Amino acid sequence: MRLRAYLSCISMQNVPGWTGVNERTFIAVKPDGVQRKLVGEIVRRFEKRGFKLVGLKLMQASEDLLREHYCDLRSKPFFNTLMSYMKSGPVVAMVWQGLDVVKTARKMMGETNPAESLPGTIRGDYCVEVGKNVIHGSDSVESAQKEISLWFRQNELQRWESSNLRWIY
Ligand code: DAT
Ligand code: MG
């Protein structure tokens, strides 16, 4: 897994145009979000905002994948709880594309702790506890590139032209 992530990360960096309207982010509806039937609502918010869906799959995340995904948090006291939670059921992994999508998605999600998330944000509307905060979103363009290459193969990402593009940009 590490080798695949590393190799696809290198190849992604050589793909031109990961800026502007072609910026991409990795979003996941976590197991609690799937169980609580929030998938449709979350997808709807990104669609309505004007972002383009380029990848989506329902999957059970493996231990290896999650360890790599959350490697920065491995020394945190909540790491094991986080791993069990993320393995507790399927997640919906997605890639969304659009201008400033990384930053905007983080705003749409709210804060890490739902108690600090404003109403109107996803976490501010649908959850109460940091350990069950329903959604993941990349925190920078660099993390987005790493996470997309970790969760998706190149051929799982679709190239398509959105018919309403010129009404959004
Ligand atoms: P975010 O998901 O907002 O990017 P993060 O990357 O700092 O936040 O942490 C990843 C996840 O780990 C977070 O969504 C929920 C869990 N987490 C973070 N801080 C925690 C804490 N203090 N106690 C329990 N779980 C925590
Ligand atoms: Mg994070």
Side-chain angles (χ1 to χ4, degrees), residues 70 73 106 136-137 139:
Y70 281 129
L73 301 175
R106 292 290 299 192
H136 167 83
D139 62 9

Side-chain angles (χ1 to χ4, degrees), residues 30 70 73 78 82 106 109 112 123 130-131 133 135-137:
K30 294 177 175 180
Y70 281 129
L73 301 175
F78 57 82
L82 176 63
R106 292 290 299 192
M109 285 163 52
T112 302
R123 286 168 173 168
V130 68
N133 60 5
I135 184 168
H136 167 83

Side-chain angles (χ1 to χ4, degrees), residues 59-83:
M59 60 182 282
Q60 177 68 51
S62 70
E63 173 89 23
D64 277 359
L65 174 60
L66 291 169
R67 279 193 181 277
E68 186 68 32
H69 176 78
Y70 281 129
C71 62
D72 293 350
L73 301 175
R74 62 188 177 278
S75 57
K76 299 282 184 192
F78 57 82
F79 184 74
N80 288 340
T81 318
L82 176 63
M83 293 291 288

Side-chain angles (χ1 to χ4, degrees), residues 1-44:
M1 179 55 75
R2 269 170 208 276
L3 181 64
R4 196 186 113 204
Y6 175 73
L7 289 175
S8 36
C9 218
I10 300 269
S11 64
M12 285 270 177
Q13 280 161 5
N14 295 330
V15 175
W18 265 63
T19 54
V21 300
N22 293 321
E23 185 173 305
R24 289 176 173 184
T25 195
F26 173 69
I27 298 290
V29 182
K30 294 177 175 180
D32 50 334
V34 174
Q35 290 286 351
R36 295 180 52 211
K37 322 291 186 228
L38 294 172
V39 175
E41 173 61 28
I42 289 169
V43 169
R44 189 189 68 88

Side-chain angles (χ1 to χ4, degrees), residues 29 35 47-48 57 63 83 89 95 98 107 126 148 151 154 156 164:
V29 182
Q35 290 286 351
E47 280 188 321
K48 288 212 159 184
K57 59 184 173 181
E63 173 89 23
M83 293 291 288
V95 178
K107 288 217 167 119
Y126 300 120
I148 290 167
W151 287 78
Q154 284 281 13
E156 291 175 315
N164 61 7

